[in-house]
Amino acid sequence: MRGRRRLGRPFGRLWAAYAVSAYGSGLGFGAFPLIAVLVLHAGPAEVSALSAVGPAVGALIAVPLAPWVEFRHKRPVMIGMDLVRCAAMATIPVGYALGRLTWVQLLVVSVVVAAAKIAFNAASGAFLKALVRPDDLLVANARFESTNWSSIAVGPPLGGAAIGLFGPVVTVIADAFSYLLSALCLTAIGGREEAPQPRGEAPRAEAAARRTTGEAAPSATGDAIPRTTTEAATRTTTEALPQAIGDAAPRPPGEPAPPPTRKGGPRRTAGLLDGWRHIMGHPVLRALYLNQLLVAGLIMATEPLLAVLLLRRLGFPPWQYGLAFAAPCLGGLVGSRLARRVVARHGRSAVFRTVGTLRAVWLIGLAFVRPGVTGLVTVMAVELAIIVNMSLYTPVLAAYRLEHTPKHLVARTLTAWSVGQQAAIALCTALGGLLADATGPRTALTAAGLLILATPLLLPRPDRTPPASPAEPDATAHAGTAP
C-alpha cells in the first residue's frame, strides 16, 4: 500500500500532543546542567548528580505508580502528568526571578519530571493500543519515533540560540508551556474511553472469552496454544492467570480459605512486579528487554565521556560539539520511515536480528576520534549509523511489545521497561565515569564499544522467532495473540 495511512482524528490529536511535548523538551534539552553551571556555579560532581540521580530516583517513584495507572482511565492520567510536569518546570523561572533558585530545587524538579514522564508513557502506550488497530501499531510508533528524532535535531540548536538571546531559563519556560499545550491536545481528543477492569477481573474476563469463543490461549512466546491440544491446556492457563496478579489459586474442596491479605502486603507487591513478571516470562520479550538494557546503557554512557574528550581533550568549539550530535538526528527520520517497508519485505525477526546487531557495531568508532574536521566527521558518521538503525528498530520493538502484552498489563509492563532502562543508563554512566577518571575518556569509550559488541547475543534466537505482525504480507494465523 502506497501513500500515508490515515489513523483517524483521535490519533492525530494524540500525535500532536506528543509532538508539542517533544519539541518543547528538545528546546529545553540540557537546560538543567546549563542552569546549574551558569546560574548556580555548580561543580562537576553536582552537575553529574543532577543528570543521573534525578532520573534514577524518579524511576523508583514511578514503580508504585504503575498499578495506579493500570486501573484508571488513561487519558486523564496523561493530562494529569502533563500538568504536573508543567507546574514543576514553572517553579524554576519563578525561583530564578525571585533570586531563590537552588540546586536542590533543580534536583527535585528533575525527580518529579522523570517520574511523571514514565507514568505518562505507560498510560499513553495503553491508550494507543486501544486507539488504533493492531496492524496500525507499527505505523503509529514509527510516526512517534520520527517526531522524536526531528525534535532532537531541531530543538537543541534553537534552544541554545534562545538562551543566548533571552537568558538561561527561557527554554525551561518553553518546555513548561509545551506540557500545557500537550494537555490541551489530549483534552481535545474527546470521546469516552473504555473503562479499565477492576483488579483481578481482567485475566478472568480474557479466560472466559477464550472459553466462550473457542479462541486459543496465548503461550509464553506469544503464539497460540491450539484448542485441539486438550481443554486442560486452556484450563491450566486460566487457573494460572489470577496467581500472576496476586489473587488466590483454586484450593481443594474442604480446605479453609487463607486469611485475607492486608492492604500493602503481598498482593500489592505482586501488582508492582507484574510488569517484570510478564517480560521475564515471555521468552522473546525477555531477550529484547535484556538486550535493550545493555545497548541503551552503554550508548548513553558515552555521552558525558565524549563531551569530555571533544571539548576538553581535543578542543572542539561548542558549536561543533552541538552540530556533531544534532545533524545525525535527521537520520532518525530516515529509519523510522523505513520501518514498515522493511518489516513488510523482510519480516520482524530479520529486523530484530539484523538491525538489532547493526545498532551495536558502530559505537567502537568513537574511540578513534581525532582533532579537527576528520574527528568531527567521524563522530557524525558514527552517530548517524547508530541513529538510523535505532530509529528503524525502536518502533518495531514498541509495536511488538504492545501486541504481546495483555491489556490489563500494558501500563505496568511499560513502566517496568522504562524503569529498568533508566536504571541501566544510570549504572553504565556511573561506571563509565569511574573508569574515565582512572584511565581517561578514550579508554572508557573503547570499553563501552567492545562490550556492546556482545549484546547481539541476547537478541531472540532463530528458534524463538517472533510471529509476524498482522501488517506483514507473510503473516501466519496466530489467533489468541494479544492485540
Side-chain angles (χ1 to χ4, degrees):
M1 177 179 175
R2 296 186 178 274
R4 190 181 189 84
R5 179 177 290 194
R6 300 180 64 87
L7 301 183
R9 182 173 295 178
F11 173 78
R13 289 172 176 168
L14 177 63
W15 190 13
Y18 180 88
V20 168
S21 178
Y23 276 93
S25 297
L27 285 171
F29 181 79
F32 282 19
L34 187 146
I35 292 172
V37 172
L38 297 183
V39 178
L40 303 178
H41 309 290
E46 291 172 307
V47 174
S48 298
L50 188 62
S51 300
V53 175
V57 174
L60 290 177
I61 293 174
V63 173
L65 288 177
W68 178 81
V69 172
E70 192 77 77
F71 298 104
R72 278 162 178 79
H73 291 287
K74 304 305 183 291
R75 190 158 58 96
V77 171
M78 295 158 64
I79 294 171
M81 294 301 105
D82 269 340
L83 295 178
V84 166
R85 288 185 285 182
C86 175
M89 296 290 282
T91 65
I92 294 176
V94 171
Y96 176 76
L98 297 176
R100 296 182 177 275
L101 185 64
T102 65
W103 180 86
V104 173
Q105 181 181 349
L106 289 180
L107 182 63
V108 171
V109 172
S110 176
V111 169
V112 172
V113 169
K117 178 181 179 181
I118 292 175
F120 178 95
N121 290 343
S124 66
F127 187 74
L128 177 65
K129 179 168 181 172
L131 189 66
V132 303
R133 297 178 305 174
D135 57 347
D136 285 332
L137 284 173
L138 177 55
V139 176
N141 280 288
R143 291 181 185 176
F144 288 146
E145 187 72 7
S146 65
T147 303
N148 177 58
W149 287 111
S150 64
S151 70
I152 297 174
V154 174
L158 292 179
I163 288 172
L165 291 173
F166 304 110
V169 299
V170 64
T171 58
V172 176
I173 296 173
D175 197 7
F177 186 62
S178 74
Y179 292 127
L180 181 60
L181 289 179
S182 173
L184 292 175
C185 290
L186 293 171
T187 302
I189 292 176
R192 298 188 63 181
E193 187 179 343
E194 180 183 352
Q197 292 176 301
R199 296 174 186 264
E201 294 299 320
R204 295 190 186 97
E206 291 180 3
R210 285 199 297 270
R211 287 195 299 268
T212 302
T213 62
E215 188 177 296
S219 72
T221 62
D223 295 323
I225 300 176
R227 299 215 24 121
T228 54
T229 55
T230 64
E231 183 67 25
T234 303
R235 187 163 54 250
T236 301
T237 305
T238 305
E239 292 171 353
L241 283 169
Q243 299 178 52
I245 62 167
D247 291 340
R251 59 183 185 275
E255 182 178 323
T261 303
R262 288 189 295 178
K263 188 175 181 180
R267 183 171 185 172
R268 173 169 291 185
T269 304
L272 297 180
L273 300 179
D274 279 346
W276 279 285
R277 285 198 183 96
H278 172 63
I279 293 170
M280 302 309 290
H282 189 297
V284 177
L285 283 179
R286 180 174 64 243
L288 294 172
Y289 178 64
L290 296 176
N291 172 266
Q292 184 69 14
L293 293 187
L294 286 179
V295 170
L298 291 170
I299 289 178
M300 294 304 297
T302 63
E303 182 181 352
L305 303 176
L306 202 56
V308 173
L309 179 64
L310 296 182
L311 297 174
R312 185 175 298 174
R313 301 291 179 88
L314 301 181
F316 279 69
W319 72 267
Q320 287 187 354
Y321 175 76
L323 180 64
F325 288 97
C329 290
L330 295 175
L333 299 176
V334 177
S336 58
R337 290 181 68 87
L338 288 175
R340 183 165 172 260
R341 297 183 197 174
V342 173
V343 170
R345 176 171 295 185
H346 301 287
R348 190 156 45 188
S349 177
V351 172
F352 285 152
R353 296 294 303 176
T354 304
V355 182
T357 299
L358 289 175
R359 293 178 306 156
V361 300
W362 308 101
L363 194 65
I364 190 66
L366 296 178
F368 301 99
V369 174
R370 292 292 180 263
V373 176
T374 302
L376 178 63
V377 171
T378 300
V379 174
M380 293 177 68
V382 170
E383 294 287 335
L384 178 63
I386 293 174
I387 289 171
V388 168
N389 287 286
M390 285 182 63
S391 61
L392 197 162
Y393 178 93
T394 301
V396 181
L397 168 63
Y400 180 84
R401 186 175 57 206
L402 285 176
E403 290 171 13
H404 289 266
T405 300
K407 289 172 63 176
H408 68 281
L409 285 174
V410 172
R412 284 171 287 179
T413 297
L414 296 182
T415 299
W417 199 286
S418 297
V419 170
Q421 183 168 300
Q422 191 63 57
I425 290 172
L427 178 61
C428 290
T429 300
L431 293 177
L434 292 174
L435 182 60
D437 284 340
T439 62
R442 197 179 294 275
T443 302
L445 285 170
T446 303
L450 292 175
L451 286 173
I452 203 171
L453 293 177
T455 58
L457 298 175
L458 294 172
L459 290 167
R461 299 195 302 269
D463 61 328
R464 288 179 178 170
T465 300
S469 166
E472 297 176 33
D474 60 343
T476 57
H478 51 281
T481 302

